[in-house]
Amino acid sequence: MTEQALLAPAPDLPPPSVWALLKEDVHCVFARDPAVRSVWEVVTTHPGVHALLLHRLVHALWGLRLRYPARLLAFLARLLTNIDIHPGARVRVGANSVVVKDAPADCTTEARHG
């Protein structure tokens, strides 16, 4: 399967809302981290969730060709979360994976906490 096929949204469906994406991110954390106790804990303390939320805003700015604001916000997000995601990178919905536009489809970096 090509990268475009993995990243392309379904043609009939509207893009997911911010709340739907946040709910999905929290669900992924619950599925992978046995020490998590509550949604509030995930939303307030998990840097991976913060990095993904901020990246979505950064990527939207990048798509609007607001390159400097996107880079600046990405820099601030990296200071906050210690996770660096390029503004042009696309996040595959449902996988918490970062796929860089020029990377092969099977080349992904999974967002994990340490």
Side-chain angles (χ1 to χ4, degrees), residues 34-104:
V36 172
R37 295 174 297 207
S38 69
V39 172
W40 179 250
E41 178 183 359
V42 172
V43 172
T44 58
T45 65
H46 277 255
V49 172
H50 300 152
L52 287 173
L53 286 173
L54 289 169
H55 172 72
R56 290 182 180 115
L57 176 59
V58 166
H59 187 70
L61 292 172
W62 189 264
L64 294 171
R65 298 182 126 346
L66 298 171
R67 304 297 200 214
Y68 181 75
R71 287 273 191 178
L72 183 61
L73 187 56
F75 170 73
L76 295 173
R78 183 175 45 123
L79 287 178
L80 176 68
T81 64
N82 204 25
I83 298 171
D84 190 17
I85 305 174
H86 188 276
R90 299 182 201 168
V91 176
R92 261 197 308 173
V93 176
N96 267 0
S97 300
V98 177
V99 180
V100 180
K101 286 190 235 180
D102 298 329

